[in-house]
Amino acid sequence: MARAIWTGVITFGLVSVPVGLFTATGDHTVHFHQLQRGTSDRIRNRRVNERTGDEVASEDIVKGFELSEGEYVVVEPDELDEIAPGRSQTIDITDFVDLDQIEPVYFDRTYYIAPRGKEYTKVYELLRAALAEANKVGIATFVMRGKQYLTALRAEDKVLVLQTLHWADEVRDPRQELPELPSGRAGKGKELDMALQLVGALSGPWEPARYHDTYQEKVRELVQAKAEGLEIAPAEEAPAATNVIDLMTVLQGSIDQARGGRKAESAPQQKKPATARKATRKVAKKAATRKAPPKTARATAASRSQRGTGKRELRQLSKAELYQRATEHDIVGRSKMSREELIDALARAGRRRKKSAA
């Protein structure tokens, strides 16, 4: 059972309900320790006195606001609590607004709110139901860990959700911050129609479970491969910018690709037996680490035809395919090569084989 990271009361009008605040999301990022290169020695961060170099205990650390160079006003933690005693324990709803009126840039973190005891569930549900029925969110402020937050309190199924918001002076104006923005509406009528067709072809219901953090999956694959003394293929390079002259062709190709992908997804697939699924996972694992993947007859024939491959043919391959060929030819330094460097290295290797064969 999760523990509340903050407790207090929600107030709206003269009504108040004791609640607890709970973290709504978790972090799946792969975390690394810092080590000194060439050793297994951990690197630690310490709080030290800048003048003496001595380590300072946390209870001996206070906050200081610099008035001028070397001159500080010292503020104790208790003094900060004393200036907001009520608000530090209260989520005070002052306004109700439509959710779609709040621009997405204002939203920050999400928390769940729960009543602190069964005796408070009726008032809690009354607030939740009223927000849901009115399709409104409650705008409130509260203090947590020495910081005041602007928040939006909204209703979901059976639970109240609190989302912290950025203050108005924290949100930057894109017209002042960004170097280039369109001066007018871009695209001709037909181009816009095709862009709308592409949006329609890629449209579907919101299914969050469909999406995965593929970068973190690759990080785990990299760690596993290095632990086993293997190599892993580098990622694909970013695509080149679309030439405005080719825009119509690219849009049409994108629409055809999207529609083809949707048909493939909607086609019924036969469920593989358990033994076949297990074998597929083994092959996928070997392919991820690039450890001598098993070759089919087609792959073997293709490999034989690559012996005289020139740069033109090599440029039609992806970086992952180029890296695979470089691995087969044992090209030194391939893991650090760019796509163009891999092409050059493979072309040179092909010329050397032709000379030795002659």
Side-chain angles (χ1 to χ4, degrees):
M1 185 70 69
R3 294 181 60 183
I5 62 172
W6 178 94
T7 57
V9 296
I10 294 176
T11 65
F12 59 109
L14 299 178
V15 180
S16 63
V17 53
V19 296
L21 196 67
F22 297 82
T23 303
T25 58
D27 180 17
H28 65 204
T29 303
V30 177
H31 295 282
F32 295 93
H33 294 301
Q34 292 183 322
L35 307 176
Q36 184 175 355
R37 190 184 299 279
T39 74
S40 296
D41 300 338
R42 290 277 301 276
I43 303 300
R44 302 286 184 180
N45 294 321
R46 299 189 304 157
R47 294 182 175 90
V48 298
N49 184 308
E50 187 181 66
R51 178 177 56 81
T52 65
D54 297 333
E55 190 168 358
V56 182
S58 58
E59 60 268 20
D60 293 329
I61 298 175
V62 295
K63 296 180 182 293
F65 182 85
E66 190 171 23
L67 295 175
S68 59
E69 188 174 353
E71 184 182 356
Y72 293 90
V73 171
V74 175
V75 179
E76 297 284 349
D78 292 344
E79 293 176 307
L80 292 172
D81 293 335
E82 287 172 0
I83 63 174
R87 287 192 177 277
S88 63
Q89 299 297 317
T90 306
I91 298 175
D92 185 21
I93 300 177
T94 57
D95 303 285
F96 294 93
V97 303
D98 294 334
L99 179 60
D100 57 10
Q101 288 185 337
I102 305 174
E103 297 172 21
V105 70
Y106 282 91
F107 289 103
D108 189 13
R109 302 196 65 179
T110 305
Y111 299 89
Y112 293 136
I113 289 181
R116 287 203 336 258
K118 289 185 177 180
E119 62 270 35
Y120 307 120
T121 55
K122 183 175 181 179
V123 182
Y124 174 92
E125 173 57 21
L126 178 66
L127 173 59
R128 192 209 65 79
L131 288 173
E133 187 71 21
N135 196 25
K136 300 280 187 180
V137 295
I139 303 300
T141 57
F142 81 111
V143 175
M144 180 173 65
R145 297 170 182 168
K147 182 178 178 181
Q148 187 175 35
Y149 293 90
L150 179 66
T151 67
L153 194 69
R154 60 185 181 85
E156 285 195 1
D157 186 30
K158 300 295 182 182
V159 68
L160 284 171
V161 173
L162 181 142
Q163 291 185 283
T164 59
L165 305 173
H166 294 290
W167 300 94
D169 61 356
E170 294 178 324
V171 177
R172 296 177 177 179
D173 185 343
R175 292 165 295 185
Q176 296 178 4
E177 298 293 330
L178 306 184
E180 294 292 340
L181 284 174
S183 56
R185 188 168 182 176
K188 299 176 183 177
K190 193 170 183 182
E191 291 171 343
L192 182 57
D193 288 343
M194 293 187 72
L196 290 170
Q197 288 181 49
L198 178 57
V199 171
L202 292 172
S203 295
W206 166 238
E207 298 173 358
R210 287 182 56 203
Y211 309 97
H212 302 276
D213 189 340
T214 56
Y215 175 69
Q216 292 303 318
E217 291 171 359
K218 289 293 184 183
V219 171
R220 290 186 175 88
E221 287 178 11
L222 173 63
V223 171
Q224 182 65 30
K226 289 182 74 71
E228 297 175 5
L230 306 173
E231 289 187 346
I232 190 167
E236 293 284 342
E237 293 179 352
T242 300
N243 190 321
V244 177
I245 299 173
D246 302 328
L247 184 56
M248 292 292 287
T249 304
V250 173
L251 283 169
Q252 187 59 59
S254 301
I255 293 169
D256 295 340
Q257 184 183 56
R259 288 172 175 168
R262 294 292 180 186
K263 287 178 181 177
E265 284 182 11
S266 61
Q269 296 181 352
Q270 264 192 326
K271 191 174 180 181
K272 295 181 182 179
T275 53
R277 290 198 301 271
K278 189 174 181 181
T280 302
R281 284 197 296 271
K282 285 183 178 179
V283 171
K285 185 178 179 182
K286 287 183 179 180
T289 56
R290 301 297 181 187
K291 182 183 178 182
K295 296 179 180 178
T296 61
R298 179 180 176 184
T300 305
S303 179
R304 286 196 296 267
S305 67
Q306 292 162 10
R307 291 176 183 171
T309 304
K311 283 190 176 183
R312 181 180 297 177
E313 290 81 3
L314 289 169
R315 284 200 173 90
Q316 296 176 4
L317 303 178
S318 67
K319 187 176 181 181
E321 291 169 330
L322 291 168
Y323 182 85
Q324 176 62 30
R325 293 195 184 184
T327 302
E328 292 170 0
H329 300 318
D330 198 24
I331 292 175
V332 178
R334 57 189 176 273
S335 61
K336 297 181 179 179
M337 290 182 180
S338 66
R339 186 172 183 277
E340 201 60 36
E341 288 170 339
L342 285 169
I343 290 172
D344 290 340
L346 286 168
R348 286 195 300 270
R351 288 194 294 268
R352 283 196 297 270
R353 282 192 301 276
K354 279 185 179 179
K355 287 180 181 179
S356 61

